[in-house]
Every structure is written in structure tokens, then in C-alpha cells.
Amino acid sequence: MADIDGSQETKEYYLDVPARNEAFFLKGSGALDWGIQNRLSRIFNPASGKTVMLAIDHGYFQGPTTGLERVDVNIVPLVPYADALMLTRGILRSSIPSSCRNAIVLRASGGPSILKELSNEQIALDMEDAVRLNACAVAVQVFVGGEFETQSIHNLTRLVDAGNRHGVAVLGVTAVGKTLTRDAKYLRLACRICAELGAHIVKTYYCPDGFETVTASCPVPLVMAGGKKLPELDALKMAYNAVEQGASGVDMGRNIFQSDAPAAMIQAVRKVVHEGQKPEHAYDFYQALKHEKKVETPVGR
Ligand code: R5P
């Protein structure tokens, strides 16, 4: 108990200073509870409002994808450059040091392998385990237009209920089946459904025409999925365009860990996402890091 003998009579209430009442920095997230906002602030950098999430969860349906054969060897060195890691609890527990300070986004749906119908996923993680693992968010695949569309949407809504109970955010991942076109019309539909049904973050693919209408009509932060491996400059251009057109960052996998120089690539992606650097500048930075030359960081855009 505090010693009251020496307490002073004079008190300063700062009557002329209004109480702080700042809006939360993320789009559509102002009405969320403190715990979810705090976790979102670990995924998204409050200074830039953006995130560079490293997606390494491919093994949950694809097995040991190229570049992810040995997460302990190939991925752990990249961890310091990511704001958030998106991965399964199996890889987290087995291969990622618990001393890492990244936000953790846990894969929470699964079931079918690439040998089966992919949309037939179920919830694959208890929210209690997500809390035990100190996750900031859980990720669930939503197959709008897929064979098991309704089931996957119910996976989302059940996780949102559990996430809201525990203060853990839910990332709705729009999965595009083989027969569906990744155009703005489809992506608007899929993203909006995720947000309407309670996803706190939505992940979707970039489309060259009308991506800004996808971000504009999604009321919560949207992160761009990387997709198949592209030449590094093209991947940086895609990330740049997505952020310019309203994305709150990226959640990239193969375009980082399948790069010729993954550590250089993720640092170049950071330049684009957090600093708004032009992709050409970020590519120069990538090349210099790749060849281990010291460079001046290009200024601004
Ligand atoms: C989506 O299906 C999963 O989260 C993937 O593992 C992840 O999105 C893939 O990332 P990328 O397409 O950038 O390799």
C-alpha cells in the first residue's frame, strides 16, 4: 500500500486539456473492443497504417511447397522483416522461435488436400488454442461461388463469434476456384461478403482493372495476396499498385520465399508498402541487397 504520510495536497487536473479521444487508425475498426484493436495494431503498423505479412501456410493443403521445405532454414531468417506471420499452429510450434516478436495470424480452416475439393474446409483450430499461442488473428478461407460456399462462410461466422468473444481478429481469405475469374466484380462480391459477415480483415488478390473499387467497397482493412511467383519487379509493382489503390498492405508468400533473394525481396516489399517507394526504387534496393552492396535509401516517391 502506498505511503500516505508524504502525499502532497497540490494536484494538477489539467482542466484546460481536453481528454484524449483519438480515432483508431484502421478503417472500419473504430467500434471494436480494445483487445482486438490492440492485436490489429500489432499486425498493422500504426505509423504507416500498413502491414507486410509473410504467408507461409501453404503446407496446410499443399504439403512442402517449394521454398517451404525447411521452414527452420529458409523462413526463420526472414522473420525479423515481417510485421506478421501467417502460418499454421503446427509450423508455429515446431519451427518458429517463441522469442519472435511478430504478430501471429494462425490458419484456422482446413481439411481437404490438393487431391480433393478444396472448398470443403472446416474449422481446424479452437480459438482457445489461438489465444494460448498469443495469436493476433486467425485466418479462414471463404469460397464464394465454390461448391462448399455456405460451409466456408459458416466457418467464417463461427470464428468471428469466437474471435469477438476472445478479442482475436479474424482474417477472411477470399479463395478463387479454378472456374472463377479474379476480376473486380467477383472480388468485390467476395470481399464484401467477408466484411459483412464480420471479418475484421480481408485478404484478396489484386486485379489490374478496378481494384480500387474492391478496396472502396470493403469497409475493413484489405490486404493483397501475392499469388503465383512473378519476376521481382512485377511483384513490387503489384504491391505498389494495390497499396496506392487502397490496400492496407500485403500478405505475400511465394513472391517472397521463392525469390532468388528472399530477405532482400521482403525488405524491398517493405519499402513499397510502408514508405510508398516507387517499385523501380525498391527494385534497385532489392538488387543492391541481393548483391550485398550498401546503398542510399531512395527518398519518398
Ligand atoms: C491462401 O490460400 C493461403 O493463405 C495461401 O497459403 C497464401 O495466401 C498464399 O500466399 P501467396 O499466394 O502469396 O503465395
Side-chain angles (χ1 to χ4, degrees):
M1 197 169 202
D3 175 6
I4 56 169
D5 291 345
S7 63
Q8 296 180 359
E9 286 303 314
T10 317
K11 300 186 195 305
E12 174 59 270
Y13 294 101
Y14 298 100
L15 298 180
D16 55 338
V17 180
R20 293 181 78 144
N21 186 23
E22 291 162 9
F24 188 60
F25 70 99
L26 281 176
K27 163 181 175 178
S29 310
L32 299 176
D33 195 15
W34 195 96
I36 295 195
Q37 289 187 345
N38 182 259
R39 287 183 171 95
L40 289 171
S41 304
R42 295 190 51 214
I43 298 173
F44 297 90
N45 182 332
S48 66
K50 308 288 191 307
T51 187
V52 173
M53 206 183 291
L54 178 61
I56 56 163
D57 61 332
H58 307 56
Y60 91 95
F61 69 105
Q62 291 183 203
T65 311
T66 304
L68 295 181
E69 300 90 339
R70 286 287 302 270
V71 170
D72 56 334
V73 175
N74 294 326
I75 300 300
V76 169
L78 308 181
V79 164
Y81 304 114
D83 298 304
L85 299 175
M86 180 187 184
L87 72 182
T88 58
R89 59 177 160 183
I91 289 295
L92 182 67
R93 282 198 166 101
S94 63
S95 310
I96 304 293
S98 55
S99 55
C100 83
R101 301 185 56 80
N102 313 68
I104 298 299
V105 179
L106 279 184
R107 163 60 53 186
S109 64
S113 74
I114 42 172
L115 307 177
K116 296 281 189 179
E117 167 53 43
L118 288 179
S119 68
N120 192 12
E121 285 195 350
Q122 301 207 355
I123 292 176
L125 175 79
D126 194 304
M127 195 58 74
E128 188 186 293
D129 207 29
V131 172
R132 187 178 295 117
L133 287 165
N134 203 23
C136 290
V138 298
V140 52
Q141 218 75 359
V142 176
F143 295 86
V144 171
E147 189 177 334
F148 291 86
E149 174 185 76
T150 302
Q151 178 178 309
S152 72
I153 287 174
H154 282 177
N155 292 341
L156 168 73
T157 52
R158 280 156 57 205
L159 284 165
V160 167
D161 285 333
N164 284 341
R165 257 197 314 276
H166 290 86
V168 175
V170 175
L171 167 63
V173 182
T174 62
V176 180
K178 290 184 196 117
T179 55
L180 295 165
T181 321
R182 294 180 192 189
D183 59 11
K185 186 177 176 190
Y186 173 78
L187 298 178
R188 280 194 303 266
L189 174 74
C191 292
R192 184 59 175 260
I193 287 174
C194 289
E196 294 261 355
L197 292 172
H200 307 97
I201 316 166
V202 175
K203 167 174 168 172
T204 200
Y205 291 98
Y206 182 72
C207 61
D209 294 322
F211 186 74
E212 68 281 4
T213 66
V214 181
T215 58
S217 57
C218 178
V220 298
L222 186 147
V223 292
M224 184 205 79
K228 69 174 180 358
K229 175 74 176 70
L230 301 169
E232 278 76 3
L233 179 57
D234 292 347
L236 291 169
K237 283 181 179 169
M238 183 171 71
Y240 178 84
N241 290 338
V243 169
E244 277 283 293
Q245 293 163 27
S248 299
V250 299
D251 184 12
M252 294 170 81
R254 288 163 289 176
N255 277 295
I256 291 173
F257 62 71
Q258 292 180 353
S259 165
D260 291 340
M265 184 59 180
I266 191 168
Q267 290 177 77
V269 171
R270 292 189 72 79
K271 292 281 178 199
V272 165
V273 171
H274 286 302
E275 297 176 27
Q277 276 194 10
K278 292 279 190 198
E280 294 77 12
H281 288 164
Y283 183 67
D284 290 345
F285 179 74
Y286 160 79
Q287 289 282 15
L289 280 182
K290 182 178 166 184
H291 298 108
E292 293 181 344
K293 286 185 212 147
K294 268 206 171 302
V295 282
E296 285 293 310
T297 305
V299 180
R301 299 170 180 224

Short mmCIF file of all heavy atoms in Angstrom, two decimals, residues 49-109:
data_model
loop_
_atom_site.label_atom_id
_atom_site.label_comp_id
_atom_site.label_asym_id
_atom_site.label_seq_id
_atom_site.Cartn_x
_atom_site.Cartn_y
_atom_site.Cartn_z
N GLY A 49 0.03 2.60 -41.03
CA GLY A 49 -1.30 2.03 -41.24
C GLY A 49 -1.28 0.77 -42.09
O GLY A 49 -2.33 0.27 -42.50
N LYS A 50 -0.08 0.25 -42.35
CA LYS A 50 0.05 -0.87 -43.31
C LYS A 50 0.72 -2.08 -42.66
O LYS A 50 1.31 -1.96 -41.59
CB LYS A 50 0.89 -0.43 -44.52
CG LYS A 50 0.45 0.86 -45.20
CD LYS A 50 -0.83 0.67 -45.97
CE LYS A 50 -1.18 1.83 -46.88
NZ LYS A 50 -1.20 3.14 -46.24
N THR A 51 0.65 -3.20 -43.36
CA THR A 51 1.32 -4.40 -42.90
C THR A 51 2.04 -5.11 -44.03
O THR A 51 1.58 -5.07 -45.19
CB THR A 51 0.33 -5.39 -42.24
OG1 THR A 51 1.08 -6.47 -41.65
CG2 THR A 51 -0.65 -5.99 -43.24
N VAL A 52 3.16 -5.73 -43.69
CA VAL A 52 3.79 -6.71 -44.58
C VAL A 52 3.70 -8.05 -43.85
O VAL A 52 4.42 -8.30 -42.90
CB VAL A 52 5.25 -6.36 -44.90
CG1 VAL A 52 5.92 -7.50 -45.68
CG2 VAL A 52 5.31 -5.07 -45.71
N MET A 53 2.73 -8.84 -44.30
CA MET A 53 2.51 -10.14 -43.69
C MET A 53 3.19 -11.19 -44.57
O MET A 53 3.10 -11.10 -45.80
CB MET A 53 0.99 -10.38 -43.65
CG MET A 53 0.52 -11.30 -42.55
SD MET A 53 -1.27 -11.58 -42.67
CE MET A 53 -1.95 -10.01 -42.24
N LEU A 54 3.87 -12.11 -43.94
CA LEU A 54 4.53 -13.18 -44.69
C LEU A 54 3.69 -14.44 -44.56
O LEU A 54 3.51 -14.98 -43.47
CB LEU A 54 5.94 -13.40 -44.11
CG LEU A 54 6.76 -14.52 -44.74
CD1 LEU A 54 7.02 -14.26 -46.23
CD2 LEU A 54 8.10 -14.68 -44.01
N ALA A 55 3.13 -14.87 -45.71
CA ALA A 55 2.26 -16.06 -45.72
C ALA A 55 3.10 -17.31 -45.97
O ALA A 55 3.74 -17.44 -47.01
CB ALA A 55 1.20 -15.93 -46.81
N ILE A 56 3.09 -18.21 -44.99
CA ILE A 56 3.83 -19.47 -45.15
C ILE A 56 2.93 -20.65 -44.77
O ILE A 56 3.42 -21.68 -44.32
CB ILE A 56 5.14 -19.48 -44.32
CG1 ILE A 56 4.85 -19.20 -42.84
CG2 ILE A 56 6.13 -18.47 -44.88
CD1 ILE A 56 6.01 -19.59 -41.93
N ASP A 57 1.63 -20.48 -44.97
CA ASP A 57 0.69 -21.51 -44.54
C ASP A 57 0.34 -22.51 -45.65
O ASP A 57 -0.54 -23.35 -45.47
CB ASP A 57 -0.61 -20.85 -44.03
CG ASP A 57 -1.31 -20.04 -45.11
OD1 ASP A 57 -0.63 -19.53 -46.03
OD2 ASP A 57 -2.54 -19.91 -45.03
N HIS A 58 1.03 -22.43 -46.77
CA HIS A 58 0.67 -23.24 -47.95
C HIS A 58 0.62 -24.74 -47.66
O HIS A 58 -0.15 -25.47 -48.27
CB HIS A 58 1.67 -22.98 -49.08
CG HIS A 58 1.86 -21.55 -49.43
ND1 HIS A 58 2.23 -20.60 -48.51
CD2 HIS A 58 1.73 -20.90 -50.62
CE1 HIS A 58 2.32 -19.42 -49.10
NE2 HIS A 58 2.02 -19.57 -50.38
N GLY A 59 1.46 -25.19 -46.73
CA GLY A 59 1.55 -26.62 -46.45
C GLY A 59 0.27 -27.22 -45.92
O GLY A 59 0.10 -28.45 -45.97
N TYR A 60 -0.66 -26.39 -45.46
CA TYR A 60 -1.87 -26.96 -44.86
C TYR A 60 -2.75 -27.69 -45.87
O TYR A 60 -3.58 -28.50 -45.51
CB TYR A 60 -2.66 -25.89 -44.09
CG TYR A 60 -3.73 -25.14 -44.86
CD1 TYR A 60 -5.06 -25.57 -44.82
CD2 TYR A 60 -3.42 -24.03 -45.62
CE1 TYR A 60 -6.05 -24.88 -45.51
CE2 TYR A 60 -4.40 -23.34 -46.30
CZ TYR A 60 -5.72 -23.78 -46.25
OH TYR A 60 -6.70 -23.10 -46.93
N PHE A 61 -2.52 -27.40 -47.15
CA PHE A 61 -3.23 -28.19 -48.18
C PHE A 61 -2.31 -28.64 -49.30
O PHE A 61 -2.64 -29.55 -50.06
CB PHE A 61 -4.44 -27.43 -48.74
CG PHE A 61 -4.08 -26.23 -49.59
CD1 PHE A 61 -4.19 -26.29 -50.97
CD2 PHE A 61 -3.65 -25.05 -49.01
CE1 PHE A 61 -3.86 -25.20 -51.76
CE2 PHE A 61 -3.31 -23.96 -49.79
CZ PHE A 61 -3.42 -24.02 -51.17
N GLN A 62 -1.10 -28.06 -49.39
CA GLN A 62 -0.19 -28.39 -50.49
C GLN A 62 1.02 -29.22 -50.07
O GLN A 62 1.83 -29.59 -50.92
CB GLN A 62 0.37 -27.10 -51.11
CG GLN A 62 -0.64 -26.27 -51.86
CD GLN A 62 0.00 -25.04 -52.52
OE1 GLN A 62 -0.66 -24.08 -52.79
NE2 GLN A 62 1.28 -25.04 -52.75
N GLY A 63 1.19 -29.42 -48.77
CA GLY A 63 2.41 -30.12 -48.31
C GLY A 63 3.62 -29.21 -48.45
O GLY A 63 3.50 -27.98 -48.46
N PRO A 64 4.82 -29.80 -48.57
CA PRO A 64 6.04 -28.99 -48.56
C PRO A 64 6.28 -28.25 -49.87
O PRO A 64 7.05 -28.65 -50.73
CB PRO A 64 7.14 -30.01 -48.29
CG PRO A 64 6.59 -31.31 -48.76
CD PRO A 64 5.11 -31.25 -48.62
N THR A 65 5.61 -27.13 -50.01
CA THR A 65 5.71 -26.25 -51.19
C THR A 65 7.17 -25.81 -51.41
O THR A 65 7.91 -25.64 -50.44
CB THR A 65 4.86 -24.98 -50.91
OG1 THR A 65 3.59 -25.42 -50.45
CG2 THR A 65 4.70 -24.11 -52.14
N THR A 66 7.53 -25.56 -52.66
CA THR A 66 8.88 -25.08 -52.97
C THR A 66 9.19 -23.81 -52.17
O THR A 66 8.43 -22.84 -52.22
CB THR A 66 8.99 -24.77 -54.48
OG1 THR A 66 8.63 -25.95 -55.19
CG2 THR A 66 10.41 -24.34 -54.84
N GLY A 67 10.27 -23.86 -51.44
CA GLY A 67 10.67 -22.72 -50.62
C GLY A 67 10.29 -22.91 -49.16
O GLY A 67 10.82 -22.23 -48.29
N LEU A 68 9.36 -23.82 -48.90
CA LEU A 68 8.92 -24.06 -47.52
C LEU A 68 9.29 -25.46 -47.04
O LEU A 68 8.74 -25.93 -46.05
CB LEU A 68 7.39 -23.88 -47.41
CG LEU A 68 6.83 -22.48 -47.66
CD1 LEU A 68 5.32 -22.46 -47.47
CD2 LEU A 68 7.48 -21.47 -46.71
N GLU A 69 10.21 -26.11 -47.76
CA GLU A 69 10.56 -27.49 -47.37
C GLU A 69 11.12 -27.51 -45.96
O GLU A 69 10.86 -28.42 -45.19
CB GLU A 69 11.60 -28.07 -48.35
CG GLU A 69 11.16 -28.15 -49.79
CD GLU A 69 11.50 -26.88 -50.59
OE1 GLU A 69 11.70 -25.81 -49.98
OE2 GLU A 69 11.55 -26.98 -51.83
N ARG A 70 11.94 -26.49 -45.65
CA ARG A 70 12.53 -26.39 -44.31
C ARG A 70 12.31 -24.98 -43.78
O ARG A 70 13.11 -24.07 -44.02
CB ARG A 70 14.03 -26.70 -44.39
CG ARG A 70 14.35 -28.18 -44.59
CD ARG A 70 14.08 -29.00 -43.31
NE ARG A 70 14.84 -28.52 -42.18
CZ ARG A 70 16.07 -28.95 -41.86
NH1 ARG A 70 16.65 -29.87 -42.57
NH2 ARG A 70 16.70 -28.46 -40.81
N VAL A 71 11.21 -24.83 -43.06
CA VAL A 71 10.88 -23.51 -42.53
C VAL A 71 11.98 -23.01 -41.58
O VAL A 71 12.32 -21.83 -41.56
CB VAL A 71 9.50 -23.56 -41.83
CG1 VAL A 71 9.23 -22.28 -41.05
CG2 VAL A 71 8.41 -23.80 -42.88
N ASP A 72 12.54 -23.93 -40.82
CA ASP A 72 13.59 -23.52 -39.86
C ASP A 72 14.81 -22.95 -40.58
O ASP A 72 15.45 -22.02 -40.09
CB ASP A 72 13.99 -24.70 -38.96
CG ASP A 72 14.46 -25.91 -39.76
OD1 ASP A 72 14.05 -26.08 -40.93
OD2 ASP A 72 15.24 -26.72 -39.21
N VAL A 73 15.09 -23.47 -41.77
CA VAL A 73 16.28 -23.00 -42.50
C VAL A 73 15.95 -21.78 -43.37
O VAL A 73 16.68 -20.78 -43.36
CB VAL A 73 16.83 -24.14 -43.40
CG1 VAL A 73 18.00 -23.64 -44.26
CG2 VAL A 73 17.25 -25.33 -42.55
N ASN A 74 14.84 -21.87 -44.12
CA ASN A 74 14.58 -20.84 -45.14
C ASN A 74 13.75 -19.66 -44.66
O ASN A 74 13.87 -18.56 -45.20
CB ASN A 74 13.85 -21.47 -46.34
CG ASN A 74 14.74 -22.47 -47.06
OD1 ASN A 74 15.95 -22.28 -47.12
ND2 ASN A 74 14.14 -23.53 -47.57
N ILE A 75 12.89 -19.90 -43.71
CA ILE A 75 11.93 -18.85 -43.32
C ILE A 75 12.36 -18.09 -42.06
O ILE A 75 12.19 -16.87 -41.99
CB ILE A 75 10.51 -19.44 -43.15
CG1 ILE A 75 10.04 -20.07 -44.47
CG2 ILE A 75 9.54 -18.39 -42.66
CD1 ILE A 75 9.95 -19.11 -45.65
N VAL A 76 12.92 -18.80 -41.11
CA VAL A 76 13.26 -18.12 -39.85
C VAL A 76 14.15 -16.88 -40.07
O VAL A 76 13.92 -15.83 -39.44
CB VAL A 76 13.85 -19.13 -38.83
CG1 VAL A 76 14.46 -18.41 -37.62
CG2 VAL A 76 12.75 -20.08 -38.36
N PRO A 77 15.09 -16.92 -41.02
CA PRO A 77 15.89 -15.69 -41.25
C PRO A 77 15.07 -14.51 -41.78
O PRO A 77 15.51 -13.36 -41.68
CB PRO A 77 16.93 -16.12 -42.30
CG PRO A 77 17.01 -17.61 -42.17
CD PRO A 77 15.64 -18.06 -41.78
N LEU A 78 13.89 -14.78 -42.34
CA LEU A 78 13.05 -13.68 -42.87
C LEU A 78 12.15 -13.06 -41.80
O LEU A 78 11.60 -11.97 -41.99
CB LEU A 78 12.14 -14.21 -43.99
CG LEU A 78 12.80 -14.98 -45.14
CD1 LEU A 78 11.74 -15.40 -46.16
CD2 LEU A 78 13.87 -14.12 -45.79
N VAL A 79 11.98 -13.80 -40.72
CA VAL A 79 11.00 -13.41 -39.70
C VAL A 79 11.19 -11.97 -39.21
O VAL A 79 10.21 -11.22 -39.06
CB VAL A 79 11.02 -14.44 -38.55
CG1 VAL A 79 10.33 -13.92 -37.31
CG2 VAL A 79 10.36 -15.75 -39.02
N PRO A 80 12.42 -11.52 -38.98
CA PRO A 80 12.57 -10.14 -38.46
C PRO A 80 12.04 -9.06 -39.41
O PRO A 80 11.80 -7.94 -38.97
CB PRO A 80 14.09 -9.99 -38.29
CG PRO A 80 14.62 -11.38 -38.23
CD PRO A 80 13.71 -12.21 -39.07
N TYR A 81 11.88 -9.38 -40.67
CA TYR A 81 11.44 -8.37 -41.64
C TYR A 81 9.92 -8.33 -41.83
O TYR A 81 9.41 -7.48 -42.54
CB TYR A 81 12.10 -8.62 -43.00
CG TYR A 81 13.61 -8.65 -42.93
CD1 TYR A 81 14.32 -9.82 -43.17
CD2 TYR A 81 14.33 -7.51 -42.57
CE1 TYR A 81 15.70 -9.85 -43.09
CE2 TYR A 81 15.71 -7.53 -42.48
CZ TYR A 81 16.39 -8.70 -42.75
OH TYR A 81 17.75 -8.73 -42.65
N ALA A 82 9.22 -9.28 -41.23
CA ALA A 82 7.76 -9.33 -41.41
C ALA A 82 7.07 -8.66 -40.23
O ALA A 82 7.51 -8.79 -39.08
CB ALA A 82 7.31 -10.78 -41.52
N ASP A 83 5.98 -7.94 -40.51
CA ASP A 83 5.16 -7.42 -39.41
C ASP A 83 4.37 -8.56 -38.79
O ASP A 83 4.18 -8.60 -37.58
CB ASP A 83 4.19 -6.35 -39.93
CG ASP A 83 4.93 -5.16 -40.50
OD1 ASP A 83 5.75 -4.57 -39.78
OD2 ASP A 83 4.72 -4.85 -41.69
N ALA A 84 3.90 -9.45 -39.65
CA ALA A 84 3.07 -10.55 -39.17
C ALA A 84 3.43 -11.81 -39.93
O ALA A 84 3.88 -11.75 -41.08
CB ALA A 84 1.59 -10.21 -39.39
N LEU A 85 3.26 -12.95 -39.27
CA LEU A 85 3.46 -14.24 -39.92
C LEU A 85 2.10 -14.92 -40.02
O LEU A 85 1.38 -15.01 -39.02
CB LEU A 85 4.38 -15.14 -39.08
CG LEU A 85 5.79 -14.65 -38.82
CD1 LEU A 85 6.51 -15.62 -37.87
CD2 LEU A 85 6.55 -14.53 -40.14
N MET A 86 1.78 -15.40 -41.23
CA MET A 86 0.54 -16.16 -41.40
C MET A 86 0.92 -17.62 -41.60
O MET A 86 1.58 -17.96 -42.59
CB MET A 86 -0.22 -15.64 -42.61
CG MET A 86 -1.52 -16.36 -42.86
SD MET A 86 -2.19 -15.78 -44.42
CE MET A 86 -3.73 -16.65 -44.47
N LEU A 87 0.51 -18.46 -40.67
CA LEU A 87 1.01 -19.84 -40.70
C LEU A 87 0.10 -20.75 -39.89
O LEU A 87 -0.83 -20.28 -39.23
CB LEU A 87 2.44 -19.88 -40.17
CG LEU A 87 2.71 -19.69 -38.68
CD1 LEU A 87 4.21 -19.72 -38.41
CD2 LEU A 87 2.11 -18.48 -38.08
N THR A 88 0.39 -22.04 -39.95
CA THR A 88 -0.40 -23.00 -39.16
C THR A 88 0.20 -23.13 -37.76
O THR A 88 1.39 -22.86 -37.55
CB THR A 88 -0.36 -24.39 -39.82
OG1 THR A 88 1.01 -24.81 -39.92
CG2 THR A 88 -0.99 -24.36 -41.21
N ARG A 89 -0.62 -23.64 -36.86
CA ARG A 89 -0.10 -23.81 -35.50
C ARG A 89 0.99 -24.88 -35.45
O ARG A 89 1.88 -24.83 -34.60
CB ARG A 89 -1.23 -24.15 -34.52
CG ARG A 89 -2.00 -25.41 -34.84
CD ARG A 89 -3.04 -25.68 -33.77
NE ARG A 89 -4.09 -26.56 -34.24
CZ ARG A 89 -5.14 -26.90 -33.51
NH1 ARG A 89 -5.26 -26.44 -32.28
NH2 ARG A 89 -6.07 -27.69 -33.99
N GLY A 90 0.93 -25.85 -36.39
CA GLY A 90 1.95 -26.90 -36.40
C GLY A 90 3.33 -26.34 -36.72
O GLY A 90 4.32 -26.68 -36.08
N ILE A 91 3.39 -25.47 -37.71
CA ILE A 91 4.68 -24.85 -38.08
C ILE A 91 5.09 -23.85 -37.01
O ILE A 91 6.27 -23.75 -36.66
CB ILE A 91 4.58 -24.18 -39.47
CG1 ILE A 91 4.49 -25.26 -40.56
CG2 ILE A 91 5.76 -23.26 -39.73
CD1 ILE A 91 5.73 -26.16 -40.70
N LEU A 92 4.13 -23.14 -36.45
CA LEU A 92 4.48 -22.17 -35.40
C LEU A 92 5.17 -22.89 -34.24
O LEU A 92 6.26 -22.51 -33.81
CB LEU A 92 3.22 -21.43 -34.92
CG LEU A 92 3.47 -20.35 -33.86
CD1 LEU A 92 4.26 -19.19 -34.43
CD2 LEU A 92 2.16 -19.85 -33.27
N ARG A 93 4.51 -23.93 -33.76
CA ARG A 93 5.06 -24.61 -32.57
C ARG A 93 6.37 -25.35 -32.87
O ARG A 93 7.26 -25.39 -32.04
CB ARG A 93 4.03 -25.62 -32.03
CG ARG A 93 2.92 -24.96 -31.24
CD ARG A 93 2.18 -25.98 -30.36
NE ARG A 93 1.33 -25.32 -29.38
CZ ARG A 93 0.01 -25.18 -29.49
NH1 ARG A 93 -0.63 -25.65 -30.54
NH2 ARG A 93 -0.66 -24.57 -28.54
N SER A 94 6.45 -25.92 -34.08
CA SER A 94 7.62 -26.76 -34.36
C SER A 94 8.83 -25.97 -34.85
O SER A 94 9.97 -26.37 -34.64
CB SER A 94 7.26 -27.81 -35.42
OG SER A 94 6.92 -27.17 -36.64
N SER A 95 8.60 -24.84 -35.52
CA SER A 95 9.71 -24.26 -36.29
C SER A 95 10.00 -22.78 -36.06
O SER A 95 11.00 -22.28 -36.55
CB SER A 95 9.42 -24.45 -37.79
OG SER A 95 9.08 -25.79 -38.06
N ILE A 96 9.10 -22.08 -35.38
CA ILE A 96 9.31 -20.63 -35.19
C ILE A 96 9.70 -20.37 -33.73
O ILE A 96 8.99 -20.79 -32.82
CB ILE A 96 8.02 -19.83 -35.55
CG1 ILE A 96 7.57 -20.14 -36.98
CG2 ILE A 96 8.23 -18.33 -35.34
CD1 ILE A 96 8.49 -19.67 -38.08
N PRO A 97 10.80 -19.66 -33.52
CA PRO A 97 11.21 -19.39 -32.13
C PRO A 97 10.13 -18.60 -31.38
O PRO A 97 9.60 -17.62 -31.90
CB PRO A 97 12.48 -18.54 -32.28
CG PRO A 97 12.95 -18.77 -33.68
CD PRO A 97 11.74 -19.08 -34.50
N SER A 98 9.85 -19.02 -30.15
CA SER A 98 8.79 -18.34 -29.38
C SER A 98 9.25 -16.96 -28.92
O SER A 98 8.45 -16.19 -28.40
CB SER A 98 8.38 -19.20 -28.19
OG SER A 98 9.51 -19.50 -27.42
N SER A 99 10.51 -16.65 -29.13
CA SER A 99 11.01 -15.31 -28.78
C SER A 99 10.72 -14.29 -29.89
O SER A 99 11.02 -13.12 -29.73
CB SER A 99 12.52 -15.36 -28.54
OG SER A 99 13.16 -15.93 -29.67
N CYS A 100 10.14 -14.75 -31.01
CA CYS A 100 9.88 -13.80 -32.11
C CYS A 100 8.84 -12.78 -31.65
O CYS A 100 7.99 -13.08 -30.82
CB CYS A 100 9.43 -14.53 -33.38
SG CYS A 100 7.69 -14.94 -33.43
N ARG A 101 8.92 -11.59 -32.21
CA ARG A 101 8.03 -10.51 -31.75
C ARG A 101 6.96 -10.17 -32.78
O ARG A 101 6.21 -9.21 -32.62
CB ARG A 101 8.87 -9.28 -31.39
CG ARG A 101 9.89 -9.61 -30.29
CD ARG A 101 10.66 -8.44 -29.79
NE ARG A 101 9.79 -7.36 -29.31
CZ ARG A 101 9.21 -7.31 -28.12
NH1 ARG A 101 9.37 -8.29 -27.27
NH2 ARG A 101 8.47 -6.28 -27.78
N ASN A 102 6.86 -10.98 -33.83
CA ASN A 102 5.88 -10.70 -34.88
C ASN A 102 4.45 -10.95 -34.40
O ASN A 102 4.22 -11.78 -33.52
CB ASN A 102 6.11 -11.63 -36.07
CG ASN A 102 7.56 -11.72 -36.46
OD1 ASN A 102 8.35 -12.25 -35.72
ND2 ASN A 102 7.90 -11.19 -37.61
N ALA A 103 3.52 -10.26 -35.04
CA ALA A 103 2.12 -10.63 -34.86
C ALA A 103 1.92 -11.98 -35.53
O ALA A 103 2.49 -12.25 -36.59
CB ALA A 103 1.24 -9.58 -35.52
N ILE A 104 1.11 -12.82 -34.91
CA ILE A 104 0.86 -14.15 -35.45
C ILE A 104 -0.58 -14.22 -35.97
O ILE A 104 -1.52 -13.85 -35.26
CB ILE A 104 1.08 -15.23 -34.36
CG1 ILE A 104 2.53 -15.21 -33.88
CG2 ILE A 104 0.67 -16.61 -34.87
CD1 ILE A 104 3.58 -15.49 -34.95
N VAL A 105 -0.71 -14.68 -37.22
CA VAL A 105 -2.03 -14.89 -37.83
C VAL A 105 -2.12 -16.38 -38.13
O VAL A 105 -1.40 -16.89 -38.99
CB VAL A 105 -2.19 -14.05 -39.11
CG1 VAL A 105 -3.54 -14.30 -39.74
CG2 VAL A 105 -2.00 -12.57 -38.79
N LEU A 106 -2.96 -17.06 -37.40
CA LEU A 106 -3.00 -18.53 -37.48
C LEU A 106 -4.03 -19.03 -38.47
O LEU A 106 -5.20 -18.62 -38.43
CB LEU A 106 -3.39 -19.10 -36.11
CG LEU A 106 -2.33 -19.23 -35.03
CD1 LEU A 106 -2.96 -19.93 -33.82
CD2 LEU A 106 -1.12 -20.01 -35.53
N ARG A 107 -3.62 -19.91 -39.32
CA ARG A 107 -4.55 -20.61 -40.22
C ARG A 107 -5.56 -21.39 -39.38
O ARG A 107 -5.17 -22.20 -38.54
CB ARG A 107 -3.72 -21.53 -41.12
CG ARG A 107 -4.46 -22.60 -41.84
CD ARG A 107 -5.52 -22.12 -42.78
NE ARG A 107 -5.06 -21.14 -43.74
CZ ARG A 107 -5.87 -20.50 -44.59
NH1 ARG A 107 -7.17 -20.73 -44.57
NH2 ARG A 107 -5.41 -19.63 -45.44
N ALA A 108 -6.83 -21.12 -39.59
CA ALA A 108 -7.86 -21.73 -38.74
C ALA A 108 -8.86 -22.56 -39.52
O ALA A 108 -9.86 -23.02 -38.95
CB ALA A 108 -8.59 -20.64 -37.96
N SER A 109 -8.65 -22.73 -40.83
CA SER A 109 -9.54 -23.61 -41.59
C SER A 109 -8.68 -24.59 -42.38
O SER A 109 -7.52 -24.31 -42.66
CB SER A 109 -10.44 -22.80 -42.53
OG SER A 109 -9.65 -22.13 -43.51
#
